[in-house]
Amino acid sequence: MTSDRFPSPARAELFAPRGPATPYRMTVTTALPHADAVALADQGLGAWLKQEGCEEPPPAVREPVGPDTPDTPAERLRLGDRVLLDRDHGPLRGGPGTGRYHRRRLRTPAPHGTHQLTLTIATGAEGPTWVRLEAETHTTGSGVRTPCRVPVPELARTLLPLLDATDGPAAVHLSPQVLTAGQVGGLIDELCDPERRLPTVVASVPVNLGLDQWLADVVRPLCHQLPGLATAYVLDPGARTEFNVALEYHTVYGGAVRTYLPEVDPASRQDGARHPVLARQRIEEDIRRAAGLLAREPRRLAAEQPLPPPLAAVPVLRVAPPSGARADADRAAADARAELAALVREERQDRAEQQARADELELVRHSLRRERRRDRRRPAPGDEQAGARHGGAPVRGMTGRLCAGPGGAVLPTMPGGHSGPVGPAGSPSHWIDAPGTFTELMTRLGEFPLLSFTGDQKTTLALDGLQCAGASWARLTWDGLTALQEYAEAAVRGEAGGDFKQWCERTPAGCHRFPPRKAVRGESRTVFSHTKWKRERMLPVPECVDVSRRAFMGAHLRIGGGRTAPRLHYLDDCSGSGRIYVGYIGLHLTNTRTN
């Protein structure tokens, strides 16, 4: 069994970081009646299990299930070696007449753990039938290698068309849908619909390429990780013009792909900054990595969105003890019955605690949602003046940061009276205590918790043997690392206001300032297109960043002046792994000037 749902052990071990994988969560609706949706879901689940080599589960007992049906323990079926299927149904929490649910939980073996797939169908007293599919991996230890994220289950690809899944008024398709100019009005209505929960991904087509070619070669592979997490559309040339004229603050063009989060406000310039853009260049550099970036925001939203009321009212799963245990209990002595009663009480307490944790999580999700809404309604300081100067709002890049536009994010005031994040040692005095040699610098890298040095220490330590600049190179490198650490702390919270270059240009009060002219975003086109020079800048990164364990690090800091003065090359992955990877500290790598 080597599908996305059951990856082979060799493949899972080879392409996997350490730590838990990001779960997959799909929440959609269907216009089908509850009983029909359950029957089709069981049919799809059974066919999929058979395809995966498992025993097909027997038909569920079709008891008359109404709003007053009592809650019953889950039925547990063994479909193979370590393959368990739990099935339960009953009324929703809240009393008679609140609605009903059916649930299926499948557990299958995984390398060093267990795959778990949970399908829940719930219908309230009013409204549509809700369908939720969750896929996660439970590992046996924190050091076990797992994929960065749980892939889209094949069952999700089966159920979406089978159930005619929808998100509000919009159909949830498996692949991107091409739109013409006459369909733009419907797309705009969908973007602005208050019932929309899923992000909407809109792709544009480059002027110099045909629609069919771009769709087949780029857009479909790019959206491979989106089924059940987002709806996706491609604008043909006529639709692109109509769309950009209608949404002047939310445009997309030139082969870029934009993710529109729920609650779009087309008349708000400030709202345009919420919806991230994935540029064509980033897509063409590595389409596989770009697909992961594109799926990141939908996965985050799926994890943070509060559950709709019917799904939130589904009780936690309760599995009945084996029938043999019940028979033995009937024949047991009084002390055994007392022990069984104690176990039942403990089980009820555990279940109550699980339910309390689930309810608490829902309260947190609702609180986060309300806070984000308040933040969107609150204008940022200086927005009006900045808008007049730049003529547009900052546009959030698919790296998770504000990558262009006016102003910067306002950072909270920290203890001690200065604003912005606390530095690595918690105080500005740390900046004065800079190391005088690269040997000392390397021993103190642990003071930067969000920076990871992945390069060759020998290359860095060799700089101590060059007396042309003394200790100034080490101190300037330390200054750069300090500024990168402070930027990373803000970036992982989404408060950096741009990339590191922009951070240097608009360093918040109280933070360490690194000279903007020494912060370089990337290498020249000549270096990037030169095979040997580009290879020198393909530097080590963890597998969770790139499975090849190499990434192009064009961004760098100038350490001193001159043709061969040292450089610090880094990769900003704050929006992914939440870290910055420093892949090289040493003399200037080869380019046109060093030759």
Side-chain angles (χ1 to χ4, degrees), residues 6 21 72 81 92 97 147 153 155 194 197 208 247 257 311 320 397 404 453 460 490 497 530 543 559 585:
F6 299 116
T72 58
D81 184 26
L92 300 177
L155 183 60
R197 293 173 53 91
N208 60 336
L247 297 179
V257 176
L311 288 172
F453 181 78
T460 306
H530 194 289
E543 288 178 335
I559 310 300
I585 302 175

Side-chain angles (χ1 to χ4, degrees), residues 189-250:
D189 290 342
E190 177 183 330
L191 294 180
C192 302
D193 192 287
E195 296 181 7
R196 180 169 67 96
R197 293 173 53 91
L198 301 183
T200 300
V201 173
V202 179
S204 60
V205 181
V207 177
N208 60 336
L209 292 179
L211 171 62
D212 294 339
Q213 178 187 352
W214 185 253
L215 178 63
D217 296 345
V218 176
V219 179
R220 283 186 181 137
L222 189 67
C223 296
H224 182 69
Q225 300 181 27
L226 295 183
L229 299 173
T231 56
Y233 301 98
V234 184
L235 302 175
D236 72 7
R240 181 193 63 226
T241 302
E242 291 287 332
F243 184 83
N244 290 334
V245 168
L247 297 179
E248 58 177 322
Y249 303 132
H250 301 74

Side-chain angles (χ1 to χ4, degrees), residues 335-525:
D335 55 344
R337 288 197 298 270
E339 182 179 353
L340 180 61
L343 290 173
V344 170
R345 285 195 299 272
E346 290 181 7
E347 190 271 339
R348 288 176 179 171
Q349 291 174 355
D350 290 344
R351 191 178 180 207
E353 290 176 2
Q354 292 175 13
Q355 191 67 64
R357 286 194 294 269
D359 293 342
E360 183 180 3
L361 178 59
E362 277 305 296
L363 289 175
V364 171
R365 285 170 172 162
H366 281 285
S367 177
L368 286 171
R369 190 180 190 184
R370 287 194 296 270
E371 185 64 29
R372 287 199 178 94
R373 284 179 172 175
R374 283 197 295 269
D375 289 343
R376 290 201 296 270
R377 296 189 187 105
R378 187 185 304 125
D383 270 0
E384 295 179 1
Q385 295 87 339
R389 289 195 307 269
H390 295 267
V395 177
R396 185 174 163 214
M398 208 35 103
T399 56
R401 306 187 301 271
L402 296 177
C403 56
V410 178
L411 299 177
T413 300
M414 297 293 179
H418 63 282
S419 62
V422 179
S427 168
S429 63
H430 177 73
W431 305 329
I432 303 173
D433 186 27
T437 65
F438 284 95
T439 301
E440 181 185 359
L441 183 148
M442 296 303 292
T443 62
R444 293 176 56 184
L445 286 177
E447 297 180 36
F448 303 103
L450 296 184
L451 307 186
S452 294
F453 181 78
T454 62
D456 185 355
Q457 291 193 24
K458 294 180 182 179
T459 303
T460 306
L461 298 177
L463 296 174
D464 284 338
L466 303 176
Q467 301 300 323
C468 50
S472 61
W473 282 356
R475 285 195 292 268
L476 187 56
T477 303
W478 187 260
D479 286 348
L481 293 171
T482 302
L484 282 170
Q485 166 68 24
E486 293 176 333
Y487 159 78
E489 290 177 349
V492 295
R493 299 193 303 267
E495 299 170 350
D499 59 12
F500 181 68
K501 174 77 170 179
Q502 291 170 298
W503 175 269
C504 294
E505 293 170 346
R506 301 188 299 271
T507 305
C511 293
H512 183 68
R513 184 178 183 276
F514 188 78
R517 61 185 177 82
K518 292 184 177 294
V520 182
R521 283 195 175 97
E523 297 284 10
S524 65
R525 184 178 295 273

